[in-house]
Amino acid sequence: MDSYHIKGGNVLRGYIEVSGAKNAALPILAATVATRGENLLRGCPEISDVHSMVRILRSLGCTIKWEGEKMSVNTDSMTECRISDGLMKEMRSSVFLAGALLSRCGEAVISNPGGCNIGKRPIDMHLNGLKQLGVHISHTEDHLLLQGSDLEGTDITLPYPSVGATENIMLAALSAKGCTRIINSAREPEIVDLQNYINKCGGKIEGAGTGMIIVEGRRQLTGCCHKIMPDRIEAGTYLIMALATGGEILLKGIDHRLLAPLIDILQKAGYRVETGYGFIYACALGKEKICCKVDTSPYPGFPTDLQPQLTALLTVIGEGSAVNENIFEKRLKYGEQLKKMGADIEIYEKKVIIKNNKILYGADIVAQDLRGGAALIIAGLAAQGETTVANAKYIKRGYSRLTNKITGLGGVITEDGN
């Protein structure tokens, strides 16, 4: 079993160049299927989820060259519209290929996607939106067959601003006749990045970042050059990580507005946080005290993907705080692992209460999902003694060159595995 080994107690100081965003790279890689020719993408993070998406694209017949964070994807040689079960189950974001394959081939064969086990994440909203465009969906015991070679643009109102459903409908609507309006669409900045990429390819989409996205279909799409936006969740993770050890950090290549809810909490707690064009600087002054109530919500609210990391910081300096998880019902499993390290917290179904701040001690703990695993890394670096975090595979899904970045800040972390 892959594991991280951490020696706690070191103060983290230094700077990090923020990698490209996982949650932007994956739907954009899926969207390449709807284009013809070569796509040149910069800022592709070197994470296992991107490796999984590359394997899927190659299985469909795409030609891919990947060096560092630069990737070339040529879809001219595509021959398949079916994704194997094994590849689908490697990660949830493979579901985005349904809409892209419908635009390219008029059909798609998929199974239920995999990913982290953080609660129910049904694809009903995806499928209902596709049906409204005219997609015929057949179910077998293990697969979904989606057929839709003559789609019609329409108004689709989402019951909840789901990021995945918004992006999947956007991609399918590229082949629909006329305009499609997605009402109550998700507003995440990664959706804006997907819109920008598609428009560079010759598409016409507007409204991303608002509650209504308009897609004009049946425009010829060709490959383009595009730089993936920076990863706001990675940036927030390292920001919290450095401050949890009483250190300081300079994050380069990140728009501070993407982390406004987190920065507001840190500034109110007494941390020194300075922002400017393309950077965030933060420093612990030794007198910080957080007492806050945090409720996760869709963008621009506090992101669910930073909830576990913030909770790890609160166990050290946030006595009396409460965190409510409103997106995923199983995203608090990491809390029991923090208790093994001495965290004085109470865990309810969707809520964590920080009772008292106590010194954390190293322990053998287990990551059970991506962001919860990142929280355990933070706790291990802030703790006294040595910590082993098993199931490193989850953390590698979303953090590029994690051990190199942490050691560059002065932390002590190594990894092993079979």
Side-chain angles (χ1 to χ4, degrees):
M1 182 182 294
D2 288 0
S3 299
Y4 288 113
H5 302 280
I6 303 164
K7 183 178 180 181
N10 286 17
V11 176
L12 272 57
R13 292 190 176 94
Y15 73 92
I16 282 179
E17 294 279 354
V18 179
S19 298
K22 165 188 180 287
N23 292 333
L26 295 174
I28 287 173
L29 284 169
T32 63
V33 168
T35 73
R36 301 279 179 171
E38 185 178 23
N39 290 273
L40 297 174
L41 304 175
R42 293 180 295 135
C44 285
E46 299 174 71
I47 56 177
S48 62
D49 267 12
V50 170
H51 282 283
S52 295
M53 182 64 82
V54 166
R55 285 192 288 272
I56 291 173
L57 293 176
R58 284 178 172 153
S59 76
L60 298 174
C62 299
T63 301
I64 297 177
K65 298 177 182 178
W66 188 8
E67 183 177 350
E69 293 195 347
K70 296 180 181 178
M71 187 181 297
S72 165
V73 182
N74 193 312
T75 64
D76 283 344
S77 56
M78 257 191 68
T79 56
E80 285 287 332
C81 63
R82 181 190 184 103
I83 306 172
S84 73
D85 293 356
L87 292 173
M88 278 290 293
K89 293 185 185 304
E90 285 187 16
M91 63 167 187
R92 181 171 179 79
S93 297
S94 55
V95 74
F96 298 129
L97 281 153
L101 286 170
L102 283 164
S103 285
R104 175 65 175 262
C105 309
E107 65 176 358
V109 181
I110 65 172
S111 58
N112 286 322
C116 287
N117 180 21
I118 54 177
K120 294 180 181 178
R121 296 191 288 178
I123 60 172
D124 293 358
M125 272 190 280
H126 299 239
L127 300 181
N128 288 336
L130 297 178
K131 285 179 181 178
Q132 291 179 64
L133 289 171
V135 177
H136 177 73
I137 301 173
S138 302
H139 297 260
T140 68
E141 185 175 345
D142 300 314
H143 298 97
L144 295 172
L145 171 61
L146 297 90
Q147 296 173 305
S149 57
D150 191 25
L151 304 183
E152 294 278 351
T154 187
D155 287 357
I156 299 172
T157 301
L158 296 178
Y160 177 85
S162 161
V163 174
T166 297
E167 292 172 330
N168 224 343
I169 295 167
M170 286 171 66
L171 295 176
L174 294 173
S175 66
K177 181 180 179 180
C179 287
T180 298
R181 297 196 308 168
I182 308 170
I183 301 164
N184 196 31
S185 56
R187 304 183 182 191
E188 272 68 6
E190 293 79 11
I191 295 174
V192 178
D193 205 30
L194 177 61
Q195 171 186 274
N196 292 343
Y197 161 75
I198 292 171
N199 287 346
K200 286 182 184 178
C201 292
K204 188 175 181 181
I205 303 178
E206 59 185 36
T210 74
M212 184 171 71
I213 295 174
I214 303 173
V215 183
E216 183 180 302
R218 298 198 175 176
R219 297 173 66 93
Q220 185 173 355
L221 302 182
T222 56
C224 73
C225 296
H226 183 75
K227 183 177 181 180
I228 305 296
M229 67 171 285
D231 196 320
R232 61 194 172 103
I233 305 302
E234 180 194 75
T237 298
Y238 285 113
L239 178 59
I240 293 169
M241 185 183 294
L243 297 180
T245 68
E248 63 179 327
I249 191 167
L250 175 64
L251 299 164
K252 297 182 177 181
I254 183 70
D255 184 343
H256 64 89
R257 294 172 296 182
L258 301 178
L259 289 169
L262 174 61
I263 290 173
D264 181 62
I265 290 171
L266 297 175
Q267 288 179 328
K268 288 179 178 177
Y271 289 105
R272 178 183 173 190
V273 183
E274 298 177 4
T275 61
Y277 182 75
F279 79 87
I280 301 172
Y281 168 80
C283 179
L285 303 175
K287 300 179 181 179
E288 295 80 17
K289 180 63 180 177
I290 304 178
C291 187
C292 62
K293 179 182 178 183
V294 178
D295 291 275
T296 64
S297 61
Y299 190 85
F302 193 90
T304 179
D305 279 358
L306 280 177
Q307 176 263 112
Q309 300 92 309
L310 178 63
T311 302
L313 174 63
L314 294 176
T315 64
V316 177
I317 200 168
E319 180 180 333
S321 297
V323 179
N324 294 302
E325 173 54 54
N326 297 311
I327 310 297
F328 298 118
E329 75 271 20
K330 291 184 180 180
R331 193 153 226 175
L332 302 182
K333 292 185 292 184
Y334 67 89
E336 293 298 333
Q337 303 300 308
L338 290 178
K339 282 187 172 183
K340 293 180 182 179
M341 303 179 71
D344 189 4
I345 57 178
E346 290 184 357
I347 306 167
Y348 300 93
E349 185 176 355
K350 291 188 178 183
K351 185 174 184 177
V352 179
I353 295 177
I354 291 78
K355 297 175 64 179
N356 295 290
N357 293 139
K358 293 186 177 181
I359 296 173
L360 300 181
Y361 294 93
D364 291 341
I365 50 181
V366 181
Q368 295 168 287
D369 61 75
L370 168 56
R371 305 306 177 183
L376 300 182
I377 295 287
I378 291 170
L381 290 164
Q384 293 186 5
E386 297 184 0
T387 296
T388 296
V389 182
N391 272 351
K393 64 179 182 179
Y394 286 116
I395 302 167
K396 292 177 181 178
R397 289 187 50 234
Y399 292 94
S400 177
R401 296 178 285 114
L402 180 136
T403 56
N404 290 342
K405 290 181 178 179
I406 291 176
T407 55
L409 294 172
V412 180
I413 180 171
T414 58
E415 61 178 288
D416 61 25
N418 297 323

